[in-house]
């Protein structure tokens, strides 16, 4: 089992832009061509710590479908399954 | 349905500068030639979290027409419709 | 009507340095050669939000003549009129 | 014995991506190809100091297995054993 | 009349390093060769706003002679007179 | 006698990576090849000032053996002895 | 007389590394080869302003001998005497 720390969120990515995979070059962050991907939330950390010591609980819950910034996060492989771990600040919206 | 997180705002862009589409090069942020676009607000997130833990509700409401920074945000495609998701800090003004 | 958000201020620029318009190259920010322009304040936003949640009202009012940083802001065209939208932090002084 | 300061965490890295060792070039931070490594937590510092003077205790404990950002931290050699020291902000998740 | 905003200070520069004027190249900030200039304070803004909402009044007063960072500020021309507008953080010392 | 200011810490470096001395090129910060050095703490400053005005006393004491970031700090020569002065944020761990 | 503003400190530099004067190139900040210089404190500003509005009085006093970061500050010439003005954050230690 994977328990995210801080404001990390574990995602199961649903579909990926295939055509983007061929591109090996440098991309410009923020360009309109970047289309965010959708994913399912698998696990949610306790949230980032504010300067007053409180934590901000992430706005998402396990099982929700979310839009996220395609270029964020790190791929994790556990039990032959690939996951993506992002910070909740890389999440854009919940879709339902 | 799309529910924006944090200070994200979903926009339906009304018109785009056609002549800009041909340009594939690098643009200089802040140059006066950048003309912001207008859009209709479709959905508004709860706002960003301040260091004291409170959220700042975005100043805009669903249905308003807004000016926004043309180079901000990510394109989202849902049900064959294209939307733009920006942070409320990328919004410049309400037009009515 | 245009209602600025956050600490945005809408300006009607009075005169522009003509000789600068020819220059297409890169300029060095902060160099003494940069002469700020003057403009009339047309509309003022509610101000930026401090970390304690309060807003700082911009120091300027509609109708005032201001000096502003020439390289700041975005051009806006509304009803065939061109305006400049800057943040109040780009304003230097009021002239009366 | 090694006692980490601030929010440092001492890790015993379990496996390393062998194929990455050959690469001597520059890597692009944040690219999806970066797979985080797993490690065992050997020692934990008291945590970073907030602006109000309190410390944020790291979320991990000695003996836990963690995922961490592969490019973070410094290698330390003590008594002919190699360890990795990272900040707790470089830890992604606990695995159990 | 010119009324500075925020922590802007209007200066009447007394003498300028003539030999520097020829140099059109890039200078290295912080190098010891940079000699600050002296100027007379003509007008002082209300000061910058702290995160608690209070303003920090600039330490200088109209009529004082000050040392300032030579590469700071913007030149302003009003009524055929040239002034320099800097932020009070660019002022180094009062000379009397 | 040398009395460090702010969060400076005076170190007597014990051993240095000899092979590194030949390298005159640029190193990439954060690469795993950077091995921190060990040193003895000779003097400790009162600590950095927080935004609430309190100081954070460094976690180390005179006489302790510490691990520190090899590329941090400035060499100081006093009475024909060479010392290294770092900030306490460059210290990684105490070894005992 | 020179009265430093904010956290500026006026120094009378005692000796300078002669051999360094020939070097006209670029130096790498933080490299161990940078040896700080010693100087006498001639004047001290009231200190920098914290976000709560209080000032942090510099830790040094007029007449003290200090170590400072060699590449910090600006040279000032007053009454045919050369001084160096640094911020107190560029001071490393008091020597007595």
């Amino acid at each position: 089992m994977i328990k995210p720390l801080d404001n990390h969120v574990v995602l199961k990515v649903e579909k990926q832009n295939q055509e983007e995979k061929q591109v090996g070059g440098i991309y410009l962050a923020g360009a309109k061509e970047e289309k965010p991907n959708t994913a399912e939330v698998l696990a949610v950390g306790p949230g980032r710590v504010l300067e007053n010591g409180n934590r901000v609980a992430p706005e998402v819950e396990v099982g929700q479908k979310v839009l996220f910034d395609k270029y964020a996060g790190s791929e994790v492989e556990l039990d032959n399954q690939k996951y993506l771990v992002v910070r909740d600040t890389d999440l854009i919206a919940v879709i339902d």
Side-chain angles (χ1 to χ4, degrees), chain A:
Chain A
M1 203 184 126
I2 179 168
K3 292 196 294 186
L5 298 167
D6 207 48
N7 63 339
H8 285 104
V9 176
V10 183
L11 300 178
K12 187 158 159 39
V13 181
E14 289 172 3
K15 60 158 197 203
Q16 225 150 341
N17 289 334
Q18 293 306 117
E19 74 276 17
E20 283 278 323
K21 292 229 162 161
Q22 271 82 273
V23 180
I26 292 168
Y27 60 87
L28 290 169
K32 271 187 184 161
E33 286 69 23
E34 295 172 33
K35 295 184 188 62
N37 277 348
T38 53
E40 188 190 335
V41 177
L42 292 193
V44 182
R48 69 180 175 95
V49 176
L50 297 171
E51 283 304 317
N52 63 15
N54 295 330
R55 282 190 189 273
V56 186
E59 294 178 69
V60 294
E61 291 168 27
V62 173
Q64 282 182 326
K65 186 174 164 185
V66 291
L67 276 173
F68 65 95
D69 178 351
K70 187 171 59 177
Y71 298 108
S74 308
E75 251 189 19
V76 184
E77 194 174 323
L78 282 176
D79 309 330
N80 286 328
Q81 291 248 28
K82 281 187 183 176
Y83 303 107
L84 189 71
V85 188
V86 300
R87 292 190 175 269
D88 68 352
T89 47
D90 298 316
L91 299 177
I92 295 171
V94 173
I95 299 169
D96 58 12

